Amino acid sequence: MLPDSHRVAILVYDGVKLLDVAGPADAFAEANKLGADYRIALVSATGEDVTSSIGIRITVEGGVAAEPHPDTLLVPGADLYPRTPVTPDLVDATRDLAARSDRVASVCSGAFVLAAAGLLDGKRATTHWKITGELAARCPKARVEPDAIYVRDGTTYTSAGVTAGIDLALALIEEDHGPDVSREVARSLVVYLQRAGGQSQFSAPLQGPPPRSPALRGVVARVTADPAGDHSLAALATHLHISPRHLTRLFREELGTTPARFVESVRFDIAKSLLDQGYTATQAASLSGFPGYESLRRVFARELSISPAAYQRRFATARRAQNGAAAAGHG
């Protein structure tokens, strides 16, 4: 017996990021092939068609009245936010639809639309790692979690940048139809069902353009591929057949850091990801290339003002709350 239809209203607007719309929509469409019945409606605040961030025109079914009672409201993001204020008509449309929806979700900077509508007050939330600080400043009543791929707080869901909208859609599908369906959708889309770790694994050292120098690109690839290897200045210079002084100058000119600090930053991010996955602090230190726990603890104290154990407890508490809320939704 097929389930009742589930209405998903996606609120689009000029400048909306197309992948924020298409990614989740395609996940829901894949679930329909497995017996789900998601009915997707694209709506806009004005009822007029909109133009996406890459210039592709998006045809809508109408204004907010076109969806009198959505089961899920999804607000995608745009490069507009947080650079510009959310327009009053978009705020009003979001509030209107949210009041009639069973659950509300955002992708990437769509969290700024929810925040402007007052829908994140008193709630845990996330957005793209580059703009979590801005979200926290714009919405001081929300508790922003900068490293989460997605966050559920009650019936409100927020997710990180772009492809995290697919992670969010998979979580919603699992909530509606169980892990078997969401797993098959993930396999069909060739994505992870649940990505290990948080946004920190993508934020650095991958941020910014790749180094111009082939030698420096080689160092970056070598360190990220084997963080626990010997990456002393002498070892890296010998591998590249250049002098330590020349390598140091390349790092300073192109990356604004030293070779040692770069290696440490890679190891730090990998250690955080390992802690997120449940490894002990000692294991995380060893696998990420730190000489020992004490070295890892000093870096955590400097960068986050907390110990590795405290960081892991915070992540575990957030994950338990998220999983507990999901379990309650199944009950």
Side-chain angles (χ1 to χ4, degrees), residues 55-241:
I56 292 178
R57 195 75 175 164
I58 299 176
T59 302
V60 302
E61 295 187 16
V64 295
E67 279 299 307
H69 184 76
D71 296 285
T72 298
L73 166 63
L74 180 66
V75 182
D79 293 335
L80 298 168
Y81 309 124
R83 290 188 293 106
T84 61
V86 182
T87 59
D89 63 339
L90 185 54
V91 170
D92 291 342
T94 302
R95 284 185 184 139
D96 187 355
L97 279 167
R100 296 185 269 115
S101 301
D102 295 331
R103 62 188 181 194
V104 177
S106 67
V107 181
C108 196
S109 62
F112 285 84
V113 181
L114 299 190
L119 300 175
L120 297 185
D121 291 353
K123 296 182 180 294
R124 296 165 44 245
T126 195
T127 187
H128 192 286
W129 59 267
K130 283 186 177 180
I131 52 177
T132 50
E134 185 69 19
L135 181 62
R138 294 273 188 96
C139 190
K141 293 182 180 179
R143 195 178 98 201
V144 178
E145 298 186 2
D147 199 40
I149 298 294
Y150 68 88
V151 169
R152 174 184 179 180
D153 192 322
T155 57
T156 302
Y157 304 71
T158 50
S159 63
V162 195
T163 57
I166 299 176
D167 296 84
L168 174 61
L170 289 170
L172 296 175
I173 291 166
E174 180 172 348
E175 181 178 309
D176 296 335
H177 300 291
D180 291 342
V181 173
S182 60
R183 184 180 301 110
E184 287 303 311
V185 172
R187 290 178 63 191
S188 178
L189 297 178
V190 198
V191 296
Y192 289 111
L193 178 60
Q194 185 176 49
R195 278 190 267 185
Q199 295 190 68
S200 59
Q201 63 189 302
F202 308 105
S203 61
L206 302 179
Q207 56 181 312
R212 297 186 303 275
S213 162
L216 214 51
R217 287 199 297 271
V219 169
V220 171
R222 185 179 179 86
V223 174
T224 53
D226 181 22
D230 179 8
H231 301 309
S232 64
L233 176 60
L236 291 174
T238 298
H239 173 71
L240 295 172
H241 306 293

Side-chain angles (χ1 to χ4, degrees), residues 284-306:
S286 176
L287 291 170
S288 60
F290 283 94
Y293 169 77
E294 186 57 30
S295 298
L296 179 63
R297 187 197 64 78
R298 285 197 297 268
V299 175
F300 264 78
R302 185 185 71 229
E303 298 295 331
L304 300 178
S305 300
I306 59 174

